[in-house]
Amino acid sequence: LGGAIEDMPEYAVTIGISEILNAKKIRLGVFRPWHRAVVRRAACGPVTAEFPVTLTQHHTDAAILVNDVAAEKAI
C-alpha cells in the first residue's frame, strides 16, 4: 500500500501454505516490476520452506500469470 496504513483493511482473512498447496488449482498473479524476483524464484528456484512459493513447483495444477511489465527483463 506504499505506506498508506489508513488504506489497510480493518479485517482480513489469511490462509496458510498447507491450505494453498491442498487447493485443486493455484494461480499466482504477478503484475508489478518488483514481482520479477518472485517469478524467478517461484518457477526456477530451489524448493524450500524458506521461500514458500517455491513449494508450488510440486503442485499438479499451478500456474504463474505474468503481464508484460513483470515479464520484462530487468536492466
Side-chain angles (χ1 to χ4, degrees):
L1 296 172
I5 300 298
E6 64 278 0
D7 292 335
M8 181 72 71
E10 202 169 313
Y11 299 99
V13 175
T14 60
I15 60 173
I17 193 68
S18 177
E19 289 85 1
I20 293 169
L21 294 177
N22 285 316
K24 291 180 184 178
K25 294 181 180 185
I26 298 174
R27 299 297 179 258
L28 176 64
V30 288
F31 308 112
R32 308 234 188 264
W34 54 272
H35 289 156
R36 293 179 189 132
V38 174
V39 172
R40 282 193 304 275
R41 292 273 304 265
C44 305
V47 177
T48 174
E50 292 176 6
F51 204 80
V53 72
T54 61
L55 299 173
T56 63
Q57 290 179 23
H58 296 302
H59 195 278
T60 57
D61 191 0
I64 300 173
L65 310 172
V66 182
N67 69 359
D68 58 336
V69 173
E72 186 177 301
K73 184 177 178 182
I75 297 175

